[in-house]
Structure formats: structure tokens, C-alpha cells
Amino acid sequence: MRILVMELRRSPLRWWFPVLVALDVAVLFGRSQWWIGVWPQASAAAQIPAFYLGPFLAAYAAWASGRIHRLGFEDQHTAGTRPRWQVEGVHIAAVAVYGGGAYVVGAVVAAAVSHHDAGPGFLWPSYLLLGAALIVLCVAVGHLAGRWFPSGFATPVVSGLACFVAVTMNGGPMKAGLFVLSGAPAVEVTPERLAIRWGLALSAVAVAVLTPRRLLGYAGARGKLIVRLPAIGSSALAVACLAGVLTAGPVQTARANPSAPMCTRTEPKICVWPEERTYIPRLEALARRISELPPVIKSPSVFYEEGLRGDKAQDTDFSIFEGSMWEVADSMSIAISRASTPPFCEAVNSSAEDRRMMAYFELDSWLAARISGAGQPSGIHGGPPGVDQRAIARLIKQSGPAQEDWAKKRIKVIEGTRCA
């Protein structure tokens, strides 16, 4: 412990610590802020800075581990009183402590800004530990690269860029799962999936501290061949863990549906995961607008967020994408239009099918606009083909009877379509 404290005191990285903290906080708030107030989303957001801290620390670790060779102190380093693996381990630990310290500061900030609106609970440790594993993995890779190729410029640059590119291309949640982009309450990082990623990170550390620049050597007067078994063993373990990460499946798995979801007190009811209680006032406003729809429109009595019903889930269950109520309204509009029209059947010909689908598209777009309280947001592009969203935005500003008459015409087209 004392040697680690000494290393921390003399490490040039101490001057970079405020920069690391600033980078973490900039990523935390610069990417988005919709996660504030939802514990799993805040946890995932607090983990994302590791995606940037890791490559930065890999570059620094490569520079720091190559100093001994660049300064010509390799022989003194090898002949020291402490085993070489201990010294190498301390160097890695010092970099990880500074990087982890900045990472923790960012997590504390995320918890502080979410505490007021998120209600009971706290940050989910699994997401924070996932980001920490990525940081440790990048530090180990950079340290090993710096030992083998002790250039003071090329190796740090290549190490940082290589880590960034590798993680970007292969570390996503649907690939190696070294990081996640969001933390919907319906999913979680299980201990088994997290453990295998930590196994990869720690085995990479073992490779970095135990692997000499030459795996084979000679000792004694007769030149007896020495095989570096610890280095070979740790390398084999790292390969096994990497294979496990690549074959274990997505890092996020479905959670068990809760016994008591959080629901609005309105009619119809809208139920979400308890972690998303901060959206209840906005969902109640959506429910009130649904209740104000014309009598020709029929609505389900309850709407459920994805994952709440487990195996009973339906394709009309909604999701709250990046805190957007438009996505919720859009999903609800489909459920409402299907409840207000006859069961779907194959139309007698393609022309009839095209007319019916256009009526569905227009009805869905109008319902989404009515439920959300406005037209399609400017940040949302696309939509049902052939629908003029600006005309829909003007329509919802007209009188109730005019809108009801417009909706009846679309329903009449749907009901009048002959089935094959």
C-alpha cells in the first residue's frame, strides 16, 4: 500500500486529474440530460464516460510504462528488491486509481442531480462496475503496449486510438457488451455477465504485469531454457475470458416484471416501471387527453410499458425512449385505433388495402398528435408514409366536432373495406 501511495504522489497523472473529471462531467451532461430522475438510466449515463476515459488512460499507461525503457533504467528495474510484477502492478493500479477517481466523481454528480426526482433507490452498481471494468481493461492494454514498444509518442497515440476504435466497433451492448448506451428499467446487467467482463479485465492486468518482453529465456551456466509459465497461463486465461465475453450474449438481460407497477390514477390507467415514477405527471396528462377523445374512438382501459407484463406482453405496449412522450403517444395511438376499428383481415384487392392503410396511417397520426397535445416534434423525422404531418398539426387545432367528423370518415373507410 505504501508503494502505491508513493506512486500516486509522484505520478504526472495527478496533474491531469481535474482534466479527467472535466471530461467525465462533460460527457455526462453534454451527450443528453433526459436520464436525470430515473435511477437505471442515470446509472447507465454515469457509466458512459468510461468509454472515453478508457482510451485516454490507455494512452497514458502506454507512455508511463515505456519510460523505464526510454530512460535506460530497465536493468535497475529488473534487479530491484521487489519482484517486477509488483512494480508493474503498482504502476497499473496508480493509473486505475486516478481514472477510477474521476469516474466516481462523475457517478456522484449523476446521483446528486437525480436524487430529487428519482425517489427511493440509488444508482445501480452493475452499470458502474461495467464501466470500471472497461477502464481497467484499457489501462492494462496500454501498459502492455508501452512495455513492448516503448516509444514516447507513437505507442501512446496508437494505444489510445486502438482502444477507442476497438471498443467503438466491438464493445457495444449488442456485441461484446463492454459498455451500454441506455438503462431501460426492463433490462439489467446480471452478475454472471458482469463477472466474465471483469474476468477479462483482470486477466488482461495479469498479462500486462507477468508477461516479459520475451516469453522464452535462458539461465545458468549451461543455458537452461526457461518457459514463462505465469505469462503463458495468464494469456490463456485472457483468451478464454475474451471468448466467454463474445459468446455469452448481450450484456443486458430482461428483468422479472414487478409485482406492483407504478400507475396513474386516471382513466385510462397508464402503468410504468416503478423506477420511472418521475414521468407520472406527464403520463397523467396523456391519459386526460385520451379521455377527451371523441366518442367514436374506443380506448383500452390500461396501457403498459414494455416488460411489465412479461410473457403476456403485446406489440402495442409502449416504451419511453429518451424521456420522449411522443414515442409513448405514438404507441398508444396504434392500440387505440385498433380498438376502435374491426379486426384486421386481408383486403379483397391491393387498391382497397392501400386505401385502408392510408386511413389507418392518418388516424394513427391524428391520435398521436391529440394524445401528445401537439403535432409531431421537429426532432422526429419520417412517420407513416403519405401522411402530411403539418396538416395533422393544423387539424388538432380545429373544433371538436370537425375533428370527430374527420375521424369518422377514416373509420368508415376501414370498416367498409371488404375482406378477401
Side-chain angles (χ1 to χ4, degrees), residues 21 57 61 85 92 101-102 160 166 232 253 268 339 380 407:
V21 173
L57 294 170
W85 68 266
I92 290 178
I232 296 175
T253 57
I380 302 294

Side-chain angles (χ1 to χ4, degrees), residues 109-173:
V109 172
V113 298
S114 292
H115 179 73
H116 181 268
D117 297 323
F122 197 65
L123 297 177
W124 291 13
S126 56
Y127 286 117
L128 303 182
L129 290 172
L130 181 65
L134 177 58
I135 290 175
V136 172
L137 177 61
C138 290
V139 171
V141 170
H143 184 91
L144 182 62
R147 284 184 56 201
W148 282 1
F149 308 100
S151 168
F153 177 77
T155 302
V157 171
V158 171
S159 297
L161 288 176
C163 278
F164 184 79
V165 171
V167 173
T168 300
M169 298 183 65
N170 301 294

Side-chain angles (χ1 to χ4, degrees), residues 1-11 14 82 89-91 93-94 97-98:
M1 180 61 70
R2 191 172 73 176
I3 188 173
L4 174 60
V5 173
M6 293 175 59
E7 180 66 22
L8 290 172
R9 287 178 176 175
R10 66 188 181 191
S11 172
R14 69 187 187 277
R82 293 182 179 273
V90 168
H91 289 170
V97 166
Y98 278 114

Side-chain angles (χ1 to χ4, degrees), residues 7-314:
E7 180 66 22
L8 290 172
R9 287 178 176 175
R10 66 188 181 191
S11 172
L13 195 57
R14 69 187 187 277
W15 304 112
W16 285 90
F17 184 73
V19 176
L20 296 177
V21 173
L23 173 62
D24 190 294
V25 175
V27 172
L28 183 64
F29 291 102
R31 180 175 174 268
S32 63
Q33 298 181 24
W34 55 265
W35 49 267
I36 297 175
V38 181
W39 284 125
Q41 295 288 13
S43 305
Q47 163 264 170
I48 288 177
F51 176 84
Y52 300 92
L53 290 173
F56 182 92
L57 294 170
Y60 175 83
W63 177 85
S65 64
R67 282 185 302 171
I68 294 173
H69 308 289
R70 294 194 301 272
L71 297 175
F73 293 156
E74 185 174 1
D75 292 338
Q76 295 91 321
H77 182 56
T78 304
T81 57
R82 293 182 179 273
R84 180 166 185 162
W85 68 266
Q86 289 187 12
V87 179
E88 300 287 352
V90 168
H91 289 170
I92 290 178
V95 179
V97 166
Y98 278 114
Y103 181 61
V104 169
V105 170
V108 170
V109 172
V113 298
S114 292
H115 179 73
H116 181 268
D117 297 323
F122 197 65
L123 297 177
W124 291 13
S126 56
Y127 286 117
L128 303 182
L129 290 172
L130 181 65
L134 177 58
I135 290 175
V136 172
L137 177 61
C138 290
V139 171
V141 170
H143 184 91
L144 182 62
R147 284 184 56 201
W148 282 1
F149 308 100
S151 168
F153 177 77
T155 302
V157 171
V158 171
S159 297
L161 288 176
C163 278
F164 184 79
V165 171
V167 173
T168 300
M169 298 183 65
N170 301 294
M174 301 308 296
K175 294 185 178 180
L178 300 177
F179 67 92
V180 299
L181 295 172
S182 65
V187 296
E188 63 182 345
V189 177
T190 59
E192 296 80 10
R193 305 290 172 93
L194 181 62
I196 196 169
R197 284 157 179 82
W198 264 101
L200 175 61
L202 295 178
S203 61
V205 171
V207 171
V209 301
L210 295 175
T211 304
R213 302 180 74 180
R214 295 178 181 176
L215 289 178
L216 300 177
Y218 295 90
R222 296 183 180 181
K224 184 179 179 181
L225 180 65
I226 299 176
V227 180
R228 314 290 186 180
L229 291 179
I232 296 175
S234 60
S235 299
L237 178 61
V239 171
C241 289
L242 178 59
V245 166
L246 296 176
T247 58
V251 65
Q252 291 171 303
T253 57
R255 290 176 69 197
N257 50 310
S259 57
M262 183 73 64
C263 298
T264 61
R265 293 172 293 180
T266 54
E267 182 66 33
K269 289 171 59 176
I270 302 176
C271 297
V272 295
W273 288 82
E275 290 82 3
E276 299 201 299
R277 56 176 54 85
T278 187
Y279 297 126
I280 289 295
R282 296 163 66 185
L283 293 172
E284 287 180 337
L286 262 62
R288 285 194 297 271
R289 286 191 283 268
I290 293 174
S291 66
E292 295 168 357
L293 289 170
V296 69
I297 300 299
K298 311 300 179 184
S299 170
S301 59
V302 185
F303 294 91
Y304 293 93
E305 187 179 6
E306 287 183 357
L308 283 179
R309 293 196 273 185
D311 296 337
K312 298 179 181 179
Q314 299 179 9

